[in-house]
Amino acid sequence: MNILLLGNGLIGSHLRDALLMRGHQVRLLSRHALAHPECQVIQGDFAALQNAADWLPHLAGIDTVINTVGIFAESGGQSFTALHHAAPQALFAACEISRVTKVIHLSALGAAIDAPTAYWRSKGLGDEALMQSKLNWTIVRPSLIYAPDGVSSRAFCTLASLPLLPDLQGVGKVQPVHLHDVLTLLVLLTEQPVAKQAIINALGPQAMPLTSWWQQLRQGMGLGRAITLPIAACLQNLAAKSTLLPLFQPDSLAMLRAGNYSDTAPFAAILGRAPQAAAPVNGMARDALLGWLLPLLKLSMALVWLCTAAVCLWAWPRADSYQLLADVGIPSAWQPLLFYGSVAMDSVFGLLCLLDLLGVPTRSWRLQWPLVLAYSIIIAIKLPQFLWHPFGPLLKNIPIMALLLMLDLLSPNKTKPKF
């Protein structure tokens, strides 16, 4: 079968591989797709194809069109209207002209022209455009999709791995669906006419409160149940004013409060079995825990450097600092320079830690742990009283150096050695 597959995101990329494995001819249109040895790749911006004439060259010789393009948040020229309504409407008109045999359109559970959020409304308008066509169409509306390698799923697993989970008051139930079941459905729809002009909701086995799903994710990762903390709706609304928490964005909250579930029986009937649980099966605890532990560790190191600089500069007596430098063997003429230089260096390292925490790669970890090691050796030799101090101020540098070395080795931007 000759298939035009639109989109190379989470679903599109997995579906491409599944279709190729089953011997289909796939033509892939995407903005960022790389060349592929087994399918024809077209570099194109879906949002720019706003007229039927723009689509006709891409539809030559095509039997089936599968549209998996979608965004959850607008950015730049990628708007809900362009991607979810205008471009699909032009595509469907071109499919009628080209007499495409079948159109499979990926929408979203909750899509409707009168839905409470712009995302759902734009999806509903796209669905309406297809339903008004004369094509043989199927609209697939998946619930929240769990995928082991998906960015949002990893974020949910990271949140679920926290020792204290938020229990959002006033939100509806969710019915997450596993990516494998969505792919199975799309392949079935591609290869056999399960239904003509039908809307199929792709859902997990059961609807549940969001907190219950997080507990299910914990169980799948091999973690025990977490304590939950009720979060009132008013506090959720306050958090929604921040751009730092995607879960608490106004549209996200509106969709959660509306609920995201439906009857799973029709979906199970098409699959020929019950949908599988939308949770890990082989454990992902390490990656999930690192998702929040690494930022916490980076923040703690930033505070160590910045607080050390502040204490030296404003809290600790300057004369005592100079005396320590003298005990190490630094001449008095050099003491102010070394003092202010160390304060500046501590401040710079603290700021670099914060930049790394914000996603700006600085690669400063590999400089920090040798510096702490050098400090420790000098102090152990010149000021041995700190080595044998009962509070262990110098011995505490050992776990700090181990932490810095770990942050360096786990840095995703670290250059791999060549063998």
Side-chain angles (χ1 to χ4, degrees), residues 118-411:
Y119 168 77
W120 267 343
R121 288 193 297 272
S122 65
K123 283 289 191 180
L125 288 170
D127 295 354
E128 191 70 23
L130 182 54
M131 287 187 285
Q132 291 177 0
S133 74
K134 299 176 182 179
L135 297 166
N136 170 19
W137 54 262
T138 305
I139 296 172
V140 176
R141 290 179 173 172
S143 180
L144 180 66
I145 296 176
Y146 170 78
D149 58 344
V151 174
S152 60
S153 297
R154 290 199 300 268
F156 273 116
C157 285
T158 293
L159 193 153
S161 70
L162 292 170
L164 183 65
L165 293 180
D167 183 4
L168 306 182
Q169 303 296 294
V171 303
K173 293 182 178 181
V174 296
Q175 199 166 353
V177 61
H178 200 287
L179 174 64
H180 179 265
D181 287 344
V182 177
L183 295 175
T184 300
L185 172 65
L186 292 173
V187 171
L188 285 172
L189 293 174
T190 301
E191 296 183 341
Q192 50 188 302
V194 174
K196 291 184 178 181
Q197 297 185 331
I199 297 176
I200 302 173
N201 295 329
L203 308 156
Q206 63 181 42
M208 66 190 83
L210 184 61
T211 306
S212 297
W213 182 50
W214 289 338
Q215 298 283 15
Q216 190 178 91
L217 290 176
R218 290 182 62 87
Q219 182 180 1
M221 290 186 289
L223 301 173
R225 289 187 62 84
I227 300 173
T228 59
L229 177 66
I231 305 295
C234 58
L235 296 179
Q236 299 171 31
N237 294 335
L238 288 175
K241 296 180 180 180
S242 167
T243 59
L244 300 177
L245 300 171
L247 179 63
F248 290 100
Q249 295 305 298
D251 279 5
S252 301
L253 278 177
M255 287 189 281
L256 286 174
R257 288 168 178 170
N260 202 247
Y261 60 95
S262 185
D263 181 14
T264 193
F267 181 46
I270 296 173
L271 292 180
R273 57 171 174 80
Q276 65 186 89
V281 292
N282 296 320
M284 294 172 51
R286 176 185 176 277
D287 291 340
L289 290 168
L290 287 177
W292 61 271
L293 283 173
L294 282 179
L296 179 62
L297 294 175
K298 291 176 181 180
L299 176 61
S300 66
M301 285 310 308
L303 292 176
V304 166
W305 288 113
L306 293 174
C307 291
T308 299
V311 167
C312 290
L313 194 60
W314 293 302
W316 192 257
R318 191 69 48 83
D320 290 355
S321 297
Y322 285 175
Q323 183 59 52
L324 289 173
L325 290 172
D327 293 341
V328 172
I330 304 301
S332 58
W334 287 84
Q335 291 171 9
L337 178 63
L338 286 178
F339 173 80
Y340 287 106
S342 64
V343 169
M345 184 169 57
D346 291 347
S347 301
V348 168
F349 275 136
L351 293 174
L352 289 175
C353 292
L354 291 178
L355 286 175
D356 200 285
L357 176 63
L358 295 174
V360 180
T362 63
R363 302 188 181 184
S364 66
W365 311 111
R366 66 188 63 182
L367 299 177
Q368 293 178 43
W369 72 263
L371 177 65
V372 175
L373 176 62
Y375 273 166
S376 301
I377 292 174
I378 293 172
I379 295 173
I381 295 173
K382 296 293 185 178
L383 302 171
Q385 64 270 27
F386 291 105
L387 183 61
W388 311 120
H389 195 283
F391 288 168
L394 196 57
L395 295 176
K396 289 184 174 67
N397 283 348
I398 295 176
I400 288 179
M401 285 187 288
L403 168 61
L404 291 170
L405 181 59
M406 182 190 75
L407 290 172
D408 180 30
L409 294 175
L410 291 179
S411 173

Side-chain angles (χ1 to χ4, degrees), residues 96-115:
E96 287 187 337
I97 297 172
S98 300
R99 298 186 178 181
V100 170
T101 305
K102 185 188 305 180
V103 174
I104 302 170
H105 179 64
L106 195 70
S107 182
L109 188 65
I113 58 176
D114 58 349

